[in-house]
Amino acid sequence: MIYWKIFLAFFIPGILGYGGGPGTIPLVEKEVVDRYGWMDHQQFSEMIALGNALPGPIATKMAGYIGFMQGGVLGSVVALVAIVAPTLILMIGLLSILQKYKDSPKVKQLSQNVRPVIAVLLGVLTYDFLFDSFQGIGGWQTLIIAVLTYFFLELRKVHPAYVIIGALVYGALFLG
């Protein structure tokens, strides 16, 4: 039964997660945290932070990790198949149609209309992470980490993986 739950937890976000990884993160969180209770918000946010430091698509990294944690190697395989199956099926089935209508104004408008929805979903996810951070480590620590993150990412153009590692070191030294 756990493998069916793992499959559903990733197949549904795979169907609805337009735009790839960033669009699937809030959907996977809803399934994994709220529906099945396999993680809490803190664990999920830590998984996302570590996953973003690694190369490759975030959706497959989430699926592989959570699938493994819930069902071992077979759970990981089930989750990976579930997260990529909708895209694979659609790509094979709709490629000729998309090629035929790729320059259509309606298709372009559809893509433009979906982008704000993804932005709102990511904004809600960010708010949840900030709220959890304020509750977990306090406002000043969250502010310090946010300002340092902005400084290194935007002003110094440091690679995000190094910023995440720096935040982990900061947490280990000053918060742990």
Side-chain angles (χ1 to χ4, degrees):
M1 189 65 175
I2 187 65
Y3 299 114
W4 179 245
K5 289 180 181 179
I6 291 170
F7 182 82
L8 288 178
F10 290 97
F11 188 74
I12 293 168
I15 292 172
L16 301 174
Y18 179 84
T24 61
I25 292 171
L27 301 172
V28 170
E29 181 189 28
K30 185 73 172 166
E31 294 293 316
V32 170
V33 175
D34 298 335
R35 182 172 182 187
Y36 294 110
W38 293 334
M39 294 180 156
D40 59 27
H41 290 286
Q42 178 68 27
Q43 292 168 320
F44 189 83
S45 64
E46 290 172 0
M47 177 197 62
I48 294 297
L50 290 173
N52 278 325
L54 300 171
I58 189 69
T60 54
K61 290 182 279 188
M62 288 188 304
Y65 177 76
I66 295 168
F68 182 80
M69 295 305 291
Q70 295 305 310
V73 173
L74 183 57
S76 182
V77 171
V78 167
L80 286 168
V81 167
I83 199 75
V84 299
T87 302
L88 184 62
I89 292 167
L90 286 173
M91 290 298 292
I92 292 170
L94 299 176
L95 188 58
S96 63
I97 295 171
L98 288 174
Q99 285 295 343
K100 185 177 179 180
Y101 295 107
K102 70 179 180 181
D103 295 325
S104 166
K106 290 182 180 181
V107 172
K108 290 181 180 179
Q109 186 62 42
L110 173 70
S111 294
Q112 294 291 67
N113 290 342
V114 171
R115 287 181 184 163
V117 173
I118 293 171
V120 169
L121 288 172
L122 289 173
V124 169
L125 185 66
T126 302
Y127 172 79
D128 288 343
F129 286 168
L130 278 173
F131 184 77
D132 289 344
S133 181
F134 273 102
Q135 285 186 327
I137 62 173
W140 286 111
Q141 296 293 344
T142 301
L143 182 63
I144 289 168
I145 292 172
V147 168
L148 287 173
T149 299
Y150 178 80
F151 173 77
F152 285 116
L153 287 176
E154 296 299 322
L155 302 178
R156 300 293 304 224
K157 305 297 183 197
V158 174
H159 191 278
Y162 295 124
V163 175
I164 292 169
I165 291 169
L168 290 171
V169 170
Y170 178 89
L173 293 176
F174 299 109
L175 303 174

mmCIF file of all heavy atoms in Angstrom, residues 51-101:
data_model
loop_
_atom_site.group_PDB
_atom_site.id
_atom_site.type_symbol
_atom_site.label_atom_id
_atom_site.label_comp_id
_atom_site.label_asym_id
_atom_site.label_seq_id
_atom_site.Cartn_x
_atom_site.Cartn_y
_atom_site.Cartn_z
ATOM 1 N N GLY A 51 18.581 19.820 -1.607
ATOM 2 C CA GLY A 51 18.357 19.387 -2.984
ATOM 3 C C GLY A 51 18.769 20.434 -3.991
ATOM 4 O O GLY A 51 19.275 20.111 -5.063
ATOM 5 N N ASN A 52 18.557 21.696 -3.674
ATOM 6 C CA ASN A 52 18.948 22.769 -4.585
ATOM 7 C C ASN A 52 20.457 22.930 -4.684
ATOM 8 O O ASN A 52 20.953 23.530 -5.632
ATOM 9 C CB ASN A 52 18.303 24.092 -4.166
ATOM 10 C CG ASN A 52 16.891 24.209 -4.672
ATOM 11 O OD1 ASN A 52 16.569 23.738 -5.753
ATOM 12 N ND2 ASN A 52 16.034 24.825 -3.889
ATOM 13 N N ALA A 53 21.181 22.424 -3.713
ATOM 14 C CA ALA A 53 22.639 22.509 -3.757
ATOM 15 C C ALA A 53 23.233 21.432 -4.664
ATOM 16 O O ALA A 53 24.403 21.504 -5.017
ATOM 17 C CB ALA A 53 23.220 22.379 -2.352
ATOM 18 N N LEU A 54 22.430 20.452 -5.039
ATOM 19 C CA LEU A 54 22.899 19.360 -5.889
ATOM 20 C C LEU A 54 22.505 19.607 -7.338
ATOM 21 O O LEU A 54 21.507 20.277 -7.609
ATOM 22 C CB LEU A 54 22.289 18.033 -5.407
ATOM 23 C CG LEU A 54 22.617 17.628 -3.977
ATOM 24 C CD1 LEU A 54 21.786 16.422 -3.566
ATOM 25 C CD2 LEU A 54 24.101 17.335 -3.830
ATOM 26 N N PRO A 55 23.256 19.058 -8.270
ATOM 27 C CA PRO A 55 22.894 19.242 -9.682
ATOM 28 C C PRO A 55 21.666 18.415 -10.054
ATOM 29 O O PRO A 55 21.376 17.397 -9.436
ATOM 30 C CB PRO A 55 24.137 18.740 -10.428
ATOM 31 C CG PRO A 55 24.800 17.798 -9.496
ATOM 32 C CD PRO A 55 24.502 18.302 -8.106
ATOM 33 N N GLY A 56 20.962 18.879 -11.064
ATOM 34 C CA GLY A 56 19.820 18.138 -11.589
ATOM 35 C C GLY A 56 18.499 18.748 -11.181
ATOM 36 O O GLY A 56 18.442 19.668 -10.358
ATOM 37 N N PRO A 57 17.417 18.228 -11.757
ATOM 38 C CA PRO A 57 16.076 18.756 -11.478
ATOM 39 C C PRO A 57 15.655 18.483 -10.037
ATOM 40 O O PRO A 57 15.862 17.390 -9.513
ATOM 41 C CB PRO A 57 15.172 18.011 -12.450
ATOM 42 C CG PRO A 57 16.064 17.282 -13.379
ATOM 43 C CD PRO A 57 17.408 17.190 -12.769
ATOM 44 N N ILE A 58 15.032 19.461 -9.426
ATOM 45 C CA ILE A 58 14.619 19.337 -8.028
ATOM 46 C C ILE A 58 13.511 18.307 -7.856
ATOM 47 O O ILE A 58 13.455 17.614 -6.850
ATOM 48 C CB ILE A 58 14.221 20.712 -7.425
ATOM 49 C CG1 ILE A 58 13.994 20.608 -5.905
ATOM 50 C CG2 ILE A 58 12.986 21.275 -8.105
ATOM 51 C CD1 ILE A 58 15.222 20.351 -5.112
ATOM 52 N N ALA A 59 12.624 18.194 -8.833
ATOM 53 C CA ALA A 59 11.492 17.262 -8.695
ATOM 54 C C ALA A 59 11.971 15.824 -8.565
ATOM 55 O O ALA A 59 11.470 15.064 -7.727
ATOM 56 C CB ALA A 59 10.540 17.404 -9.876
ATOM 57 N N THR A 60 12.952 15.433 -9.362
ATOM 58 C CA THR A 60 13.437 14.060 -9.280
ATOM 59 C C THR A 60 14.243 13.830 -7.999
ATOM 60 O O THR A 60 14.207 12.730 -7.440
ATOM 61 C CB THR A 60 14.281 13.702 -10.512
ATOM 62 O OG1 THR A 60 15.322 14.664 -10.670
ATOM 63 C CG2 THR A 60 13.420 13.656 -11.760
ATOM 64 N N LYS A 61 14.932 14.862 -7.530
ATOM 65 C CA LYS A 61 15.671 14.712 -6.273
ATOM 66 C C LYS A 61 14.705 14.552 -5.104
ATOM 67 O O LYS A 61 14.923 13.729 -4.212
ATOM 68 C CB LYS A 61 16.603 15.905 -6.051
ATOM 69 C CG LYS A 61 17.775 15.912 -7.028
ATOM 70 C CD LYS A 61 18.708 17.066 -6.774
ATOM 71 C CE LYS A 61 18.142 18.312 -7.406
ATOM 72 N NZ LYS A 61 19.041 19.453 -7.398
ATOM 73 N N MET A 62 13.617 15.337 -5.113
ATOM 74 C CA MET A 62 12.598 15.189 -4.062
ATOM 75 C C MET A 62 11.990 13.803 -4.108
ATOM 76 O O MET A 62 11.839 13.146 -3.074
ATOM 77 C CB MET A 62 11.479 16.229 -4.238
ATOM 78 C CG MET A 62 11.845 17.636 -3.913
ATOM 79 S SD MET A 62 10.419 18.764 -3.931
ATOM 80 C CE MET A 62 9.750 18.532 -5.558
ATOM 81 N N ALA A 63 11.620 13.365 -5.304
ATOM 82 C CA ALA A 63 10.979 12.061 -5.453
ATOM 83 C C ALA A 63 11.904 10.938 -4.990
ATOM 84 O O ALA A 63 11.486 10.042 -4.250
ATOM 85 C CB ALA A 63 10.556 11.850 -6.905
ATOM 86 N N GLY A 64 13.136 10.984 -5.439
ATOM 87 C CA GLY A 64 14.080 9.940 -5.052
ATOM 88 C C GLY A 64 14.302 9.879 -3.550
ATOM 89 O O GLY A 64 14.290 8.801 -2.953
ATOM 90 N N TYR A 65 14.478 11.036 -2.931
ATOM 91 C CA TYR A 65 14.739 11.074 -1.486
ATOM 92 C C TYR A 65 13.527 10.627 -0.686
ATOM 93 O O TYR A 65 13.625 9.740 0.177
ATOM 94 C CB TYR A 65 15.159 12.491 -1.074
ATOM 95 C CG TYR A 65 15.371 12.628 0.408
ATOM 96 C CD1 TYR A 65 16.519 12.120 1.013
ATOM 97 C CD2 TYR A 65 14.426 13.243 1.213
ATOM 98 C CE1 TYR A 65 16.716 12.232 2.379
ATOM 99 C CE2 TYR A 65 14.612 13.363 2.580
ATOM 100 C CZ TYR A 65 15.756 12.857 3.160
ATOM 101 O OH TYR A 65 15.937 12.965 4.510
ATOM 102 N N ILE A 66 12.386 11.219 -0.954
ATOM 103 C CA ILE A 66 11.182 10.889 -0.172
ATOM 104 C C ILE A 66 10.764 9.447 -0.435
ATOM 105 O O ILE A 66 10.378 8.725 0.496
ATOM 106 C CB ILE A 66 10.047 11.878 -0.477
ATOM 107 C CG1 ILE A 66 10.446 13.282 -0.014
ATOM 108 C CG2 ILE A 66 8.745 11.448 0.193
ATOM 109 C CD1 ILE A 66 9.546 14.385 -0.523
ATOM 110 N N GLY A 67 10.836 9.024 -1.694
ATOM 111 C CA GLY A 67 10.505 7.639 -2.011
ATOM 112 C C GLY A 67 11.389 6.665 -1.264
ATOM 113 O O GLY A 67 10.923 5.659 -0.722
ATOM 114 N N PHE A 68 12.685 6.964 -1.197
ATOM 115 C CA PHE A 68 13.610 6.100 -0.468
ATOM 116 C C PHE A 68 13.303 6.099 1.026
ATOM 117 O O PHE A 68 13.332 5.050 1.671
ATOM 118 C CB PHE A 68 15.054 6.534 -0.709
ATOM 119 C CG PHE A 68 16.056 5.650 -0.026
ATOM 120 C CD1 PHE A 68 16.412 4.438 -0.583
ATOM 121 C CD2 PHE A 68 16.633 6.022 1.183
ATOM 122 C CE1 PHE A 68 17.325 3.600 0.049
ATOM 123 C CE2 PHE A 68 17.538 5.207 1.824
ATOM 124 C CZ PHE A 68 17.891 3.981 1.242
ATOM 125 N N MET A 69 13.025 7.264 1.579
ATOM 126 C CA MET A 69 12.738 7.349 3.019
ATOM 127 C C MET A 69 11.468 6.572 3.393
ATOM 128 O O MET A 69 11.376 6.038 4.493
ATOM 129 C CB MET A 69 12.605 8.811 3.458
ATOM 130 C CG MET A 69 13.882 9.618 3.327
ATOM 131 S SD MET A 69 15.299 8.907 4.188
ATOM 132 C CE MET A 69 14.810 9.136 5.873
ATOM 133 N N GLN A 70 10.508 6.513 2.477
ATOM 134 C CA GLN A 70 9.246 5.840 2.788
ATOM 135 C C GLN A 70 9.217 4.377 2.367
ATOM 136 O O GLN A 70 8.538 3.575 2.998
ATOM 137 C CB GLN A 70 8.073 6.584 2.124
ATOM 138 C CG GLN A 70 7.865 7.968 2.659
ATOM 139 C CD GLN A 70 7.698 7.985 4.169
ATOM 140 O OE1 GLN A 70 6.910 7.235 4.725
ATOM 141 N NE2 GLN A 70 8.460 8.829 4.838
ATOM 142 N N GLY A 71 9.933 4.030 1.305
ATOM 143 C CA GLY A 71 9.820 2.673 0.800
ATOM 144 C C GLY A 71 11.108 2.047 0.318
ATOM 145 O O GLY A 71 11.068 1.100 -0.470
ATOM 146 N N GLY A 72 12.241 2.579 0.752
ATOM 147 C CA GLY A 72 13.517 2.005 0.352
ATOM 148 C C GLY A 72 13.817 2.239 -1.122
ATOM 149 O O GLY A 72 13.288 3.160 -1.738
ATOM 150 N N VAL A 73 14.638 1.378 -1.684
ATOM 151 C CA VAL A 73 15.053 1.529 -3.076
ATOM 152 C C VAL A 73 13.847 1.431 -4.009
ATOM 153 O O VAL A 73 13.702 2.227 -4.936
ATOM 154 C CB VAL A 73 16.133 0.486 -3.445
ATOM 155 C CG1 VAL A 73 16.445 0.527 -4.928
ATOM 156 C CG2 VAL A 73 17.395 0.715 -2.626
ATOM 157 N N LEU A 74 12.960 0.474 -3.765
ATOM 158 C CA LEU A 74 11.770 0.336 -4.602
ATOM 159 C C LEU A 74 10.877 1.573 -4.488
ATOM 160 O O LEU A 74 10.326 2.043 -5.493
ATOM 161 C CB LEU A 74 10.981 -0.925 -4.230
ATOM 162 C CG LEU A 74 9.745 -1.218 -5.078
ATOM 163 C CD1 LEU A 74 10.113 -1.324 -6.552
ATOM 164 C CD2 LEU A 74 9.072 -2.488 -4.597
ATOM 165 N N GLY A 75 10.748 2.133 -3.308
ATOM 166 C CA GLY A 75 9.982 3.366 -3.126
ATOM 167 C C GLY A 75 10.577 4.516 -3.908
ATOM 168 O O GLY A 75 9.859 5.334 -4.480
ATOM 169 N N SER A 76 11.894 4.570 -3.947
ATOM 170 C CA SER A 76 12.577 5.610 -4.715
ATOM 171 C C SER A 76 12.299 5.453 -6.209
ATOM 172 O O SER A 76 12.015 6.427 -6.907
ATOM 173 C CB SER A 76 14.082 5.538 -4.444
ATOM 174 O OG SER A 76 14.762 6.541 -5.128
ATOM 175 N N VAL A 77 12.355 4.235 -6.701
ATOM 176 C CA VAL A 77 12.075 3.973 -8.114
ATOM 177 C C VAL A 77 10.629 4.321 -8.447
ATOM 178 O O VAL A 77 10.344 4.963 -9.464
ATOM 179 C CB VAL A 77 12.396 2.502 -8.468
ATOM 180 C CG1 VAL A 77 11.901 2.147 -9.862
ATOM 181 C CG2 VAL A 77 13.884 2.226 -8.348
ATOM 182 N N VAL A 78 9.701 3.920 -7.582
ATOM 183 C CA VAL A 78 8.276 4.215 -7.792
ATOM 184 C C VAL A 78 8.059 5.724 -7.855
ATOM 185 O O VAL A 78 7.361 6.243 -8.729
ATOM 186 C CB VAL A 78 7.412 3.566 -6.691
ATOM 187 C CG1 VAL A 78 5.988 4.103 -6.709
ATOM 188 C CG2 VAL A 78 7.407 2.056 -6.840
ATOM 189 N N ALA A 79 8.657 6.452 -6.930
ATOM 190 C CA ALA A 79 8.490 7.910 -6.897
ATOM 191 C C ALA A 79 9.089 8.571 -8.138
ATOM 192 O O ALA A 79 8.488 9.492 -8.704
ATOM 193 C CB ALA A 79 9.129 8.476 -5.628
ATOM 194 N N LEU A 80 10.241 8.115 -8.555
ATOM 195 C CA LEU A 80 10.874 8.685 -9.753
ATOM 196 C C LEU A 80 10.039 8.420 -11.003
ATOM 197 O O LEU A 80 9.851 9.318 -11.828
ATOM 198 C CB LEU A 80 12.285 8.123 -9.928
ATOM 199 C CG LEU A 80 13.321 8.674 -8.958
ATOM 200 C CD1 LEU A 80 14.598 7.845 -9.014
ATOM 201 C CD2 LEU A 80 13.611 10.128 -9.259
ATOM 202 N N VAL A 81 9.534 7.204 -11.139
ATOM 203 C CA VAL A 81 8.668 6.897 -12.283
ATOM 204 C C VAL A 81 7.417 7.761 -12.236
ATOM 205 O O VAL A 81 6.976 8.312 -13.245
ATOM 206 C CB VAL A 81 8.318 5.394 -12.317
ATOM 207 C CG1 VAL A 81 7.190 5.109 -13.298
ATOM 208 C CG2 VAL A 81 9.553 4.569 -12.664
ATOM 209 N N ALA A 82 6.835 7.905 -11.050
ATOM 210 C CA ALA A 82 5.596 8.679 -10.904
ATOM 211 C C ALA A 82 5.792 10.150 -11.242
ATOM 212 O O ALA A 82 4.912 10.765 -11.848
ATOM 213 C CB ALA A 82 5.055 8.537 -9.478
ATOM 214 N N ILE A 83 6.931 10.730 -10.873
ATOM 215 C CA ILE A 83 7.130 12.167 -11.113
ATOM 216 C C ILE A 83 7.459 12.453 -12.579
ATOM 217 O O ILE A 83 7.101 13.508 -13.095
ATOM 218 C CB ILE A 83 8.213 12.765 -10.173
ATOM 219 C CG1 ILE A 83 8.090 14.291 -10.088
ATOM 220 C CG2 ILE A 83 9.603 12.387 -10.599
ATOM 221 C CD1 ILE A 83 6.952 14.775 -9.267
ATOM 222 N N VAL A 84 8.103 11.514 -13.281
ATOM 223 C CA VAL A 84 8.443 11.761 -14.683
ATOM 224 C C VAL A 84 7.427 11.189 -15.663
ATOM 225 O O VAL A 84 7.381 11.616 -16.818
ATOM 226 C CB VAL A 84 9.860 11.248 -15.035
ATOM 227 C CG1 VAL A 84 10.909 11.937 -14.211
ATOM 228 C CG2 VAL A 84 9.954 9.750 -14.932
ATOM 229 N N ALA A 85 6.607 10.237 -15.233
ATOM 230 C CA ALA A 85 5.656 9.585 -16.146
ATOM 231 C C ALA A 85 4.688 10.565 -16.814
ATOM 232 O O ALA A 85 4.498 10.480 -18.034
ATOM 233 C CB ALA A 85 4.896 8.479 -15.419
ATOM 234 N N PRO A 86 4.064 11.498 -16.073
ATOM 235 C CA PRO A 86 3.139 12.409 -16.755
ATOM 236 C C PRO A 86 3.813 13.232 -17.854
ATOM 237 O O PRO A 86 3.263 13.374 -18.950
ATOM 238 C CB PRO A 86 2.629 13.325 -15.632
ATOM 239 C CG PRO A 86 2.814 12.538 -14.397
ATOM 240 C CD PRO A 86 4.043 11.710 -14.624
ATOM 241 N N THR A 87 4.992 13.725 -17.583
ATOM 242 C CA THR A 87 5.712 14.513 -18.578
ATOM 243 C C THR A 87 6.101 13.639 -19.769
ATOM 244 O O THR A 87 5.954 14.052 -20.918
ATOM 245 C CB THR A 87 6.967 15.146 -17.959
ATOM 246 O OG1 THR A 87 6.569 15.955 -16.850
ATOM 247 C CG2 THR A 87 7.721 15.991 -18.956
ATOM 248 N N LEU A 88 6.582 12.463 -19.485
ATOM 249 C CA LEU A 88 6.982 11.550 -20.551
ATOM 250 C C LEU A 88 5.793 11.193 -21.442
ATOM 251 O O LEU A 88 5.894 11.237 -22.670
ATOM 252 C CB LEU A 88 7.599 10.289 -19.944
ATOM 253 C CG LEU A 88 8.165 9.266 -20.911
ATOM 254 C CD1 LEU A 88 9.303 9.877 -21.708
ATOM 255 C CD2 LEU A 88 8.624 8.040 -20.154
ATOM 256 N N ILE A 89 4.671 10.866 -20.840
ATOM 257 C CA ILE A 89 3.466 10.516 -21.599
ATOM 258 C C ILE A 89 3.003 11.704 -22.441
ATOM 259 O O ILE A 89 2.687 11.557 -23.627
ATOM 260 C CB ILE A 89 2.355 10.033 -20.646
ATOM 261 C CG1 ILE A 89 2.745 8.696 -20.029
ATOM 262 C CG2 ILE A 89 1.014 9.920 -21.378
ATOM 263 C CD1 ILE A 89 1.875 8.286 -18.838
ATOM 264 N N LEU A 90 2.960 12.876 -21.822
ATOM 265 C CA LEU A 90 2.523 14.064 -22.559
ATOM 266 C C LEU A 90 3.490 14.427 -23.688
ATOM 267 O O LEU A 90 3.060 14.818 -24.772
ATOM 268 C CB LEU A 90 2.343 15.244 -21.615
ATOM 269 C CG LEU A 90 1.111 15.192 -20.734
ATOM 270 C CD1 LEU A 90 1.131 16.334 -19.729
ATOM 271 C CD2 LEU A 90 -0.154 15.241 -21.561
ATOM 272 N N MET A 91 4.772 14.316 -23.419
ATOM 273 C CA MET A 91 5.756 14.659 -24.455
ATOM 274 C C MET A 91 5.628 13.734 -25.654
ATOM 275 O O MET A 91 5.676 14.182 -26.795
ATOM 276 C CB MET A 91 7.178 14.588 -23.888
ATOM 277 C CG MET A 91 7.498 15.677 -22.900
ATOM 278 S SD MET A 91 7.412 17.319 -23.606
ATOM 279 C CE MET A 91 8.792 17.267 -24.704
ATOM 280 N N ILE A 92 5.472 12.459 -25.400
ATOM 281 C CA ILE A 92 5.334 11.507 -26.501
ATOM 282 C C ILE A 92 4.004 11.707 -27.220
ATOM 283 O O ILE A 92 3.946 11.739 -28.452
ATOM 284 C CB ILE A 92 5.471 10.061 -25.975
ATOM 285 C CG1 ILE A 92 6.910 9.812 -25.518
ATOM 286 C CG2 ILE A 92 5.066 9.060 -27.054
ATOM 287 C CD1 ILE A 92 7.103 8.510 -24.758
ATOM 288 N N GLY A 93 2.936 11.862 -26.465
ATOM 289 C CA GLY A 93 1.603 11.960 -27.050
ATOM 290 C C GLY A 93 1.283 13.275 -27.725
ATOM 291 O O GLY A 93 0.527 13.312 -28.688
ATOM 292 N N LEU A 94 1.842 14.366 -27.224
ATOM 293 C CA LEU A 94 1.454 15.685 -27.725
ATOM 294 C C LEU A 94 2.519 16.395 -28.555
ATOM 295 O O LEU A 94 2.304 17.535 -28.970
ATOM 296 C CB LEU A 94 1.064 16.580 -26.538
ATOM 297 C CG LEU A 94 -0.109 16.093 -25.698
ATOM 298 C CD1 LEU A 94 -0.318 17.005 -24.511
ATOM 299 C CD2 LEU A 94 -1.368 16.014 -26.542
ATOM 300 N N LEU A 95 3.644 15.756 -28.779
ATOM 301 C CA LEU A 95 4.727 16.423 -29.491
ATOM 302 C C LEU A 95 4.308 16.893 -30.879
ATOM 303 O O LEU A 95 4.601 18.028 -31.270
ATOM 304 C CB LEU A 95 5.951 15.506 -29.592
ATOM 305 C CG LEU A 95 7.218 16.145 -30.135
ATOM 306 C CD1 LEU A 95 7.625 17.337 -29.269
ATOM 307 C CD2 LEU A 95 8.335 15.127 -30.170
ATOM 308 N N SER A 96 3.603 16.054 -31.596
ATOM 309 C CA SER A 96 3.199 16.462 -32.947
ATOM 310 C C SER A 96 2.197 17.611 -32.909
ATOM 311 O O SER A 96 2.246 18.520 -33.748
ATOM 312 C CB SER A 96 2.615 15.275 -33.713
ATOM 313 O OG SER A 96 1.450 14.809 -33.067
ATOM 314 N N ILE A 97 1.300 17.597 -31.944
ATOM 315 C CA ILE A 97 0.319 18.689 -31.831
ATOM 316 C C ILE A 97 1.023 19.995 -31.448
ATOM 317 O O ILE A 97 0.725 21.051 -32.009
ATOM 318 C CB ILE A 97 -0.773 18.331 -30.805
ATOM 319 C CG1 ILE A 97 -1.573 17.124 -31.306
ATOM 320 C CG2 ILE A 97 -1.688 19.515 -30.534
ATOM 321 C CD1 ILE A 97 -2.531 16.554 -30.278
ATOM 322 N N LEU A 98 1.937 19.915 -30.518
ATOM 323 C CA LEU A 98 2.661 21.119 -30.106
ATOM 324 C C LEU A 98 3.487 21.693 -31.256
ATOM 325 O O LEU A 98 3.566 22.911 -31.408
ATOM 326 C CB LEU A 98 3.559 20.818 -28.908
ATOM 327 C CG LEU A 98 2.847 20.588 -27.585
ATOM 328 C CD1 LEU A 98 3.843 20.160 -26.513
ATOM 329 C CD2 LEU A 98 2.109 21.831 -27.157
ATOM 330 N N GLN A 99 4.095 20.820 -32.037
ATOM 331 C CA GLN A 99 4.871 21.304 -33.176
ATOM 332 C C GLN A 99 3.972 22.025 -34.176
ATOM 333 O O GLN A 99 4.364 23.027 -34.763
ATOM 334 C CB GLN A 99 5.593 20.149 -33.868
ATOM 335 C CG GLN A 99 6.799 19.641 -33.131
ATOM 336 C CD GLN A 99 7.901 20.685 -33.052
ATOM 337 O OE1 GLN A 99 7.947 21.670 -33.772
ATOM 338 N NE2 GLN A 99 8.826 20.468 -32.120
ATOM 339 N N LYS A 100 2.770 21.525 -34.343
ATOM 340 C CA LYS A 100 1.836 22.105 -35.303
ATOM 341 C C LYS A 100 1.351 23.488 -34.862
ATOM 342 O O LYS A 100 1.185 24.396 -35.667
ATOM 343 C CB LYS A 100 0.652 21.168 -35.504
ATOM 344 C CG LYS A 100 -0.325 21.611 -36.557
ATOM 345 C CD LYS A 100 -1.419 20.574 -36.738
ATOM 346 C CE LYS A 100 -2.418 21.034 -37.782
ATOM 347 N NZ LYS A 100 -3.485 20.063 -37.972
ATOM 348 N N TYR A 101 1.133 23.660 -33.539
ATOM 349 C CA TYR A 101 0.536 24.897 -33.036
ATOM 350 C C TYR A 101 1.491 25.746 -32.192
ATOM 351 O O TYR A 101 1.044 26.633 -31.476
ATOM 352 C CB TYR A 101 -0.701 24.574 -32.203
ATOM 353 C CG TYR A 101 -1.804 23.948 -33.020
ATOM 354 C CD1 TYR A 101 -2.102 22.600 -32.890
ATOM 355 C CD2 TYR A 101 -2.534 24.709 -33.912
ATOM 356 C CE1 TYR A 101 -3.118 22.016 -33.635
ATOM 357 C CE2 TYR A 101 -3.546 24.143 -34.662
ATOM 358 C CZ TYR A 101 -3.834 22.794 -34.522
ATOM 359 O OH TYR A 101 -4.823 22.235 -35.272
#
